[in-house]
């Protein structure tokens, strides 16, 4: 499930074998299947929504790989097609000229799409799910998951990497930018969420272990950070009182807790942000973090 906020649409892949690749118009709920790429999965979208990365499993030279296609959505032109990697994630440069690809068993690769050709391999190993694209500079910032307070910033055009050390006593599990790029939010493996300015000075901290019946693992792969204009969502996979977890809505400027939503079995975990305080769940329904209300599915089941 990949959202294009600029175009107010969502790409959904194979859903338990029921739905092929399709585009969901978030305003009308209309579902538009893509017969040409029906068996492919969406992996990433450019900032302006014009480029879409798709993958499908394949065997290449006797090894399990991913066939990766970068597709121009409007012209249907293929900008990149490779079977060299087992692909875990794709991030695009601001102008869509380059694609950073996370691959199995190796450091991320940077491709120039006008060619196409591989430009560089990242100097450090990192996971795209632990980072975010900087809205104000052409770079991807990701945590060094095993090192205390360490992040890597990769130039999305040249591949050059800068290492930054932060005033944190724990490794970072999740990192996200605010929509305007003025703040960076991190979730540490000590369950502390920290807000930094662009100079990496601490603006506020929120220690979730100090909450009554507090969560565990706000940094894990089943959890994470959700960014909205003026608000920050924090997803916990479980808490002391609820094995299904909880979501917390914070004031992004102060870290103040605005609302807490208890999860339940079968409801689904948050997948992508939607609007000012809503998230689309894995089940296709919409959860409003400000009220806890769960709406109907956005597309037919």
């Amino acid at each position: 499930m990949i959202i294009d906020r600029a175009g107010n649409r969502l790409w959904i892949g194979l859903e338990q074998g029921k739905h092929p690749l399709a585009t969901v118009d978030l305003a009308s709920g209309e579902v538009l299947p893509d017969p040409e790429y029906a068996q492919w999965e969406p992996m990433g979208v450019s900032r302006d929504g014009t480029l879409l990365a798709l993958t499908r499993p394949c065997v290449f030279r006797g090894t399990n790989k991913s066939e990766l296609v970068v597709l121009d959505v409007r012209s249907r032109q293929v900008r990149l097609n490779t079977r060299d990697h087992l692909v875990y994630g794709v991030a695009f440069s601001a102008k869509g000229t380059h694609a950073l690809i996370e691959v199995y068993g190796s450091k991320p690769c940077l491709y120039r799409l006008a060619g196409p050709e591989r430009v560089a391999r990242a100097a450090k190993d990192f996971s795209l799910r632990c980072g975010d694209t900087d809205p104000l500079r052409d770079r991807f910032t990701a945590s060094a998951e095993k090192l205390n307070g360490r992040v890597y910033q990769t130039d999305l055009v040249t591949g050059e990497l800068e290492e930054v050390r932060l005033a944190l006593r724990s490794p970072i599990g999740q990192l996200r930018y605010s929509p305007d790029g003025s703040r960076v939010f991190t979730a540490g493996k000590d369950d502390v969420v920290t807000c930094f300015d662009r100079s990496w000075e601490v603006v506020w901290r929120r220690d979730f272990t100090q909450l009554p019946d507090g969560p565990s693992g706000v940094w894990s792969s089943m959890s994470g950070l959700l960014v909205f204009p003026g608000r920050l969502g924090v997803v916990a996979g479980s808490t002391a009182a609820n094995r299904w977890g909880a979501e917390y809505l914070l004031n992004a400027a102060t870290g103040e807790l605005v609302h807490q939503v208890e999860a339940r079995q079968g409801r689904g975990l948050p997948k992508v942000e939607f609007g000012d305080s809503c998230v689309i769940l894995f089940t296709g329904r919409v959860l409003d973090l400000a009220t806890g209300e769960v709406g109907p599915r956005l597309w037919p089941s």
Side-chain angles (χ1 to χ4, degrees):
M1 188 186 300
I2 298 291
I3 193 168
D4 168 26
R5 293 177 180 81
N8 200 30
R9 56 187 170 178
L10 186 78
W11 278 283
I12 54 174
L14 296 172
E15 183 184 345
Q16 299 176 350
K18 296 179 182 178
H19 293 288
L21 179 71
T23 306
V24 179
D25 186 313
L26 292 174
S28 66
E30 183 181 9
V31 180
L32 302 173
D34 191 332
E36 185 177 359
Y37 292 95
Q39 302 304 308
W40 295 64
E41 291 285 345
M43 189 63 65
V45 64
S46 61
R47 192 176 302 175
D48 61 2
T50 60
L51 296 177
L52 179 66
L54 301 169
T55 64
R56 66 178 176 182
C58 69
V59 176
F60 184 56
R61 296 173 181 169
T63 306
N64 290 329
K65 300 287 187 180
S66 303
E67 183 174 6
L68 169 67
V69 162
V70 174
L71 182 69
D72 187 305
V73 175
R74 290 179 290 204
S75 70
R76 306 292 289 182
Q77 177 185 1
V78 174
R79 301 283 300 278
L80 173 67
N81 187 0
T82 177
R83 296 179 293 170
D84 290 339
H85 314 289
L86 186 59
V87 178
Y88 284 175
V90 179
F92 289 98
S93 62
K95 295 183 179 180
T97 57
H98 293 72
L100 183 66
I101 303 170
E102 181 187 354
V103 301
Y104 171 76
S106 186
K107 298 180 179 69
C109 300
L110 183 66
Y111 278 82
R112 181 186 297 114
L113 299 180
E117 61 181 276
R118 193 166 75 189
V119 177
R121 194 177 290 278
K124 301 284 187 179
D125 194 12
F126 55 87
S127 174
L128 296 189
R129 67 174 177 80
C130 297
D132 200 6
T133 303
D134 187 338
L136 302 183
R137 290 184 60 186
D138 224 351
R139 63 186 179 186
F140 190 88
T141 305
S143 69
E145 296 176 78
K146 298 180 180 179
L147 301 175
N148 290 351
R150 202 80 55 89
V151 299
Y152 302 135
Q153 296 186 312
T154 301
D155 190 297
L156 288 172
V157 175
T158 67
E160 295 179 359
L161 183 141
E162 178 185 359
E163 186 174 316
V164 182
R165 300 190 180 193
L166 310 180
L168 298 174
R169 297 188 296 271
S170 166
I172 298 167
Q174 300 280 333
L175 181 150
R176 295 292 304 275
Y177 281 91
S178 62
D180 64 1
S182 65
R183 296 287 185 264
V184 188
F185 306 103
T186 65
K189 294 188 177 182
D190 55 0
D191 292 321
V192 175
V193 173
T194 307
C195 173
F196 295 91
D197 63 19
R198 290 192 63 84
S199 299
W200 297 107
E201 296 294 330
V202 174
V203 178
W204 54 258
R205 282 193 175 97
R206 163 69 69 170
D207 187 346
F208 279 81
T209 65
Q210 301 302 310
L211 293 179
D213 298 324
S216 60
V218 298
W219 53 268
S220 70
S221 60
M222 296 300 292
S223 308
L225 302 175
L226 304 161
V227 292
F228 307 96
R231 291 175 170 180
L232 177 70
V234 180
V235 182
S238 65
T239 72
N242 185 352
R243 62 179 295 192
W244 308 111
E247 292 85 37
Y248 304 87
L249 188 63
L250 308 182
N251 182 315
T254 64
E256 177 187 1
L257 181 61
V258 176
H259 196 247
Q260 178 176 337
V261 180
E262 298 295 326
R264 63 178 186 272
Q265 184 179 14
R267 188 208 66 183
L269 287 170
K271 178 62 176 174
V272 293
E273 301 94 334
F274 182 47
D276 292 334
S277 62
C278 294
V279 292
I280 302 173
L281 304 173
F282 275 94
T283 55
R285 305 178 78 182
V286 176
L287 165 67
D288 188 339
L289 294 180
T291 64
E293 182 178 344
V294 179
R297 281 179 61 93
L298 288 173
W299 59 90
S301 58

